[in-house]
Amino acid sequence: MDWDLVISSLGPLWGGALLGTIPLSLASFAVGLVLALLLALARMSSIVPLSLAARFVISVVRGTPMLVQLFVVFFGLPSIGVVLPPWPSAIIALSINVGGYAAEVIRAAILSVPAGQWEAGYTVGMSRVTTLRRIILPQAARVSVPPLSNTFISLIKDTSLAATILVTELFREAQRIAAFSNEFLLIYIEAAAIYWIICLVLSTAQGRIEKRLDRYVAHA
Amino acid sequence: MSLTPDASGPLLTVTGLRKSFGDLEVLKGIDLTLPRGRVLVLIGPSGSGKTTVLRSLNALEVADAGVVELAGVAGAAPARIDFGAPVSKRERQVQRETLRDASGMVFQHYNLFPHKTVLQNVIEGPTVVQGRPRDEVVAEAEALLARVGLAEKRDAYPFELSGGQQQRVGIVRALALRPRLLLFDEPTSALDPEIVGDVLAIMKELADEGWTMVVVTHELGFAREVADEVLFLDGGVIVERGAPGELLRAPRQPRTRAFLDRLLRPLD
């Protein structure tokens, strides 16, 4: 095995992870969660056109490949005059994708909070919005941490698709190094290992967050 | 410390309350008035509409027609909602919030906020909604918790409390809002029999202090001892009303008699 290559490639690969994969994931997830909450609320709205529009968006996002969504934004939009650089294109496509998936998670989590909690909020004088914000969402958050963590882990792996639209991240670095060194197996396994490590760290963090949010729940 | 509103004149007036769920008419025109400082107890079989009446009083239930009116007190405007009148969504929301601001509700299943501590449950409404100074609200909340014997539980989460303790927090949460009207929806029905008395004792104390209360309950002993007036509901109408001594001891209507017999002698 070519240990020199393993060592010398670590720098660029981790560079791609730290400067590409991770910030791209964080930014897309943050924007995606906001979109997801808005989509979930729209989907539950009693205003029919709003609810139908949200349903449509969610259905399209979930029913089309991530790669196609990226290509539509990066290669497709320029033909109607919208030219976006790689990074914004990637964040837009990825966050819409997260929004579509997480919207259903958040909706289910909100619906899982008993109706009595809404009523208790109303009886202490709160409006619907205040009740949602202070009473319902904190309880929904606890329920949605495990499925949202899955969404986040999928997202981290999906960011590798951004290599196809020229975003410099972990996988694009791996392709570059592999191409000039001809050590495809070694470099791609190394890249895989880095993705795996990131996801392992995330799973640990998930466990901690769950524990923290579980502090007010009885343990059998 | 006294949070008691002054006792004179009628506080609550309900006229022509009607409500259907689909084809089922659950309220067929309910009228009632409640003077300040009095206790009204609603009894009746399940499905009689008593809980729907209570929940209409703070618009948790949206009736089809009828008016609920709460008189104002010093420093607080009157609250009124006419369920049948066509008003804008915005206006209806304002009416609801004014009504809810004037009343406090105690639920059968407590409905405490599970992600908040006992103290946070109690101060949520006064600080977040009413915008009162936190220090003042906390001091008042602590005094109220001490009164119901839960001073040392202020930082506990609801899941760490027994049912009786949770319900006492529920009562304190309602009191902390400084409402004009206290509503109780079968407050002891979910409790173990041996702790029902603790909660009823607190409610009796509140009645003695002059709080205006509407209570839906099956506890006839409480009704007999604490109520100023008892309403017997069945099939969405008030079948009979009167002082507890008369209505519970010598009901005039056969339906009332049958209901009380079943409650007192379930095995006959």
Side-chain angles (χ1 to χ4, degrees):
Chain A
M1 198 148 88
D2 187 347
W3 286 106
D4 285 345
L5 181 65
V6 172
I7 308 273
S8 65
S9 61
L10 273 179
L13 287 179
W14 273 105
L18 295 175
L19 299 174
T21 303
I22 291 173
L24 183 57
S25 302
L26 289 176
S28 305
F29 194 62
V31 178
L33 276 189
V34 175
L35 277 177
L37 179 59
L38 295 177
L39 277 172
L41 294 177
R43 170 104 159 72
M44 290 186 288
S45 164
S46 56
I47 304 163
V48 177
L50 194 60
S51 167
L52 284 178
R55 254 174 204 259
F56 176 73
V57 172
I58 292 168
S59 168
V60 168
V61 167
R62 288 161 49 115
T64 54
M66 181 70 247
L67 187 58
V68 175
Q69 293 166 12
L70 267 175
F71 274 38
V72 166
V73 173
F74 187 69
F75 295 113
L77 290 184
S79 37
I80 55 164
V82 183
V83 182
L84 295 166
W87 265 83
S89 299
I91 291 177
I92 289 172
L94 288 167
S95 58
I96 291 176
N97 191 266
V98 169
Y101 279 93
E104 290 295 85
V105 170
I106 291 177
R107 187 176 74 96
I110 289 175
L111 291 176
S112 76
V113 178
Q117 289 294 308
W118 286 96
E119 295 190 344
Y122 296 157
T123 55
V124 301
M126 291 182 184
S127 65
R128 273 179 70 90
V129 175
T130 311
T131 308
L132 179 72
R133 192 168 52 81
R134 296 195 54 92
I135 307 300
I136 305 301
L137 286 182
Q139 297 182 55
R142 192 185 69 81
V143 188
S144 50
V145 166
L148 285 182
S149 301
N150 288 339
T151 309
F152 193 40
I153 286 172
S154 297
L155 170 67
I156 287 173
K157 293 178 292 180
D158 282 347
T159 56
S160 61
L161 295 170
T164 62
I165 63 164
L166 314 175
V167 174
T168 306
E169 43 67 74
L170 170 54
F171 186 59
R172 192 165 158 78
E173 283 295 316
Q175 285 179 310
R176 193 177 59 80
I177 299 167
F180 76 69
S181 68
N182 258 327
E183 289 282 0
F184 291 98
L185 183 62
L186 183 64
I187 295 298
Y188 285 144
I189 285 180
E190 214 179 313
I194 295 178
Y195 278 112
W196 186 46
I197 290 169
I198 296 173
C199 292
L200 275 183
V201 170
L202 240 142
S203 304
T204 316
Q206 176 193 345
R208 293 205 176 170
I209 295 173
E210 276 178 46
K211 210 167 174 185
R212 194 180 137 69
L213 289 172
D214 264 1
R215 71 194 184 282
Y216 57 81
V217 179
H219 296 278
Chain B
M1 180 185 50
S2 172
L3 302 177
T4 316
D6 58 56
S8 60
L11 182 78
L12 171 71
T13 313
V14 175
T15 40
L17 206 58
R18 293 180 171 278
K19 167 88 180 168
S20 300
F21 291 112
D23 288 340
L24 184 69
E25 205 179 2
V26 288
L27 298 183
K28 301 173 181 167
I30 300 290
D31 300 284
L32 60 91
T33 57
L34 182 60
R36 277 170 222 275
R38 297 295 171 80
V39 177
L40 178 67
V41 168
L42 307 181
I43 60 170
S46 58
S48 61
K50 56 192 191 305
T51 288
T52 311
V53 170
L54 187 85
R55 289 164 54 85
S56 301
L57 299 183
N58 63 358
L60 277 186
E61 207 70 70
V62 179
D64 302 328
V67 178
V68 173
E69 222 172 341
L70 265 176
V73 289
R80 183 179 194 275
I81 190 162
D82 182 346
F83 288 106
V87 292
S88 69
K89 260 182 132 170
R90 182 98 213 97
E91 178 63 19
R92 181 49 46 93
Q93 188 56 32
V94 171
Q95 290 178 350
R96 269 194 215 125
E97 280 169 24
T98 324
L99 201 59
R100 285 172 187 158
D101 212 32
S103 55
M105 176 108 171
V106 177
F107 296 91
Q108 180 178 357
H109 296 289
Y110 337 126
N111 295 9
L112 298 183
F113 305 130
H115 58 305
K116 294 182 183 292
T117 63
V118 165
L119 184 71
Q120 287 168 343
N121 262 276
V122 176
I123 67 173
E124 182 75 9
T127 54
V128 174
V129 181
Q130 300 176 342
R132 284 163 52 200
R134 203 189 136 85
D135 293 351
E136 173 198 310
V137 172
V138 168
E140 198 172 294
E142 284 174 337
L144 287 167
L145 286 171
R147 241 194 82 171
V148 300
L150 291 176
E152 79 286 5
K153 296 287 186 190
R154 53 164 271 171
D155 296 319
Y157 283 96
F159 80 88
E160 300 170 288
L161 305 182
S162 70
Q165 291 172 330
Q166 289 193 50
Q167 192 57 298
R168 279 183 270 162
V169 176
I171 293 173
V172 168
R173 180 173 70 178
L175 292 177
L177 297 166
R178 296 179 166 177
R180 273 169 268 168
L181 177 66
L182 283 174
L183 306 172
F184 295 84
D185 184 12
E186 302 203 25
T188 58
S189 298
L191 298 178
D192 289 336
E194 75 271 19
I195 46 178
V196 165
D198 297 351
V199 171
L200 293 179
I202 291 168
M203 292 166 61
K204 181 176 177 341
E205 264 182 53
L206 296 174
D208 292 343
E209 270 174 44
W211 286 86
T212 313
M213 301 165 40
V214 181
V215 185
V216 170
T217 186
H218 293 291
E219 297 293 333
L220 296 184
F222 175 83
R224 192 173 301 119
E225 208 176 323
V226 182
D228 294 292
E229 189 181 22
V230 178
L231 300 190
F232 171 67
L233 278 88
D234 194 10
V237 295
I238 297 171
V239 175
E240 188 167 352
R241 62 176 89 200
E246 296 158 22
L247 190 140
L248 297 175
R249 211 155 292 151
R252 295 184 301 273
Q253 301 294 330
R255 273 151 92 188
T256 318
R257 212 171 299 138
F259 172 74
L260 292 175
D261 277 349
R262 246 176 298 135
L263 220 53
L264 296 171
R265 287 179 288 276
L267 294 180
D268 288 1

